[in-house]
Amino acid sequence: MRFSTADLPEHERIPAWRDYWGRRVFGADAVPMTEAPFAADVDVRTLPGVRVLTTLTSPLRVVRTAASAADGSDYIGLVTCTGSIAASQAGHQVALDPGEATVLTTGDASILESRGTARFRCLLVDRALLPATCRLDPGARLRLSPRNPLLRLLVSYVDILLDDGAGEGPGDDARSEVLAGHVRDLMGLLLDRHGDPRAYARSTSAAHMARIKRFIAANACTPSLSIQDASRQLGLSVRYIQRLFAADDATFSSHLLGQRLEAARRALADPRNAGRKISDIALAVGFSDISYFNRCFRHRFGHTPGEARHR
């Protein structure tokens, strides 16, 4: 679900925002902080027991009153922002720098304030689906550093899910439940001071694997890319990465090879590359040995790279 003021006349923007954000999305009022024309763009994703609200706005004060907080919703929200924001709830106040996070509850009145254009993200998780040891007191742990490894893992995993289209609309219910379970577990691990990290191992492994695969996809065209590069960049041991792939009966190298072959197949099928040499395409996607590329391509797809152009 998306909302934008871009196509609205200036005088309709605040009323439309208040109706959308206040009544239908979050139960909060919005007060512009400047006289400049108000602008906002919102993306809302929904998974079982999880909602992710990503909002790009001009300077804004978001107020959830005690009356709004009595609407029966009971979520714990993790708020991050690209700019500096101030947050308050239950008598606790905090000023957050870009990248820091705060934890708020929907069952208590709260205020979020930004004096510059910024992108907010609010990850809402149904409190009832979190472990009992995550019974967060209002205002507790209100400030989280961007250097917190669990926060970084959760934020990066949510980024990957959103980029992949999770929660945009009807989809695979079983897959949505699995993804939502990972997010809930990671939130639980972040907030649960007394829990056993081993209880969340399935979800932390899934999140780390998503990061590794995203790293491979972004760097597959580098011929020298290695598991050691991933280890250094992601802060994971080589052995841990190997174990994650082994659990899927795969290896880092086999996944990297698959990414490069798929990239080559797409390039060969693209009419815009009709005049491009096959060897140039192979080199561009990360292969340094053309004979090896030809063998691997035929083994994976059952035909040669040249034949792929005519399919």
Side-chain angles (χ1 to χ4, degrees), residues 1-3 20 24-25 42-46 51-52 167-169:
M1 183 166 58
R2 289 186 174 143
F3 170 86
Y20 178 81
R24 288 191 271 167
V25 176
V42 190
D43 177 73
V44 182
R45 308 288 185 91
T46 302
R51 299 179 78 192
V52 185
E168 279 189 315

Side-chain angles (χ1 to χ4, degrees), residues 81-93:
C81 187
T82 59
S84 298
I85 62 174
S88 63
Q89 185 169 66
H92 298 262
Q93 298 181 356

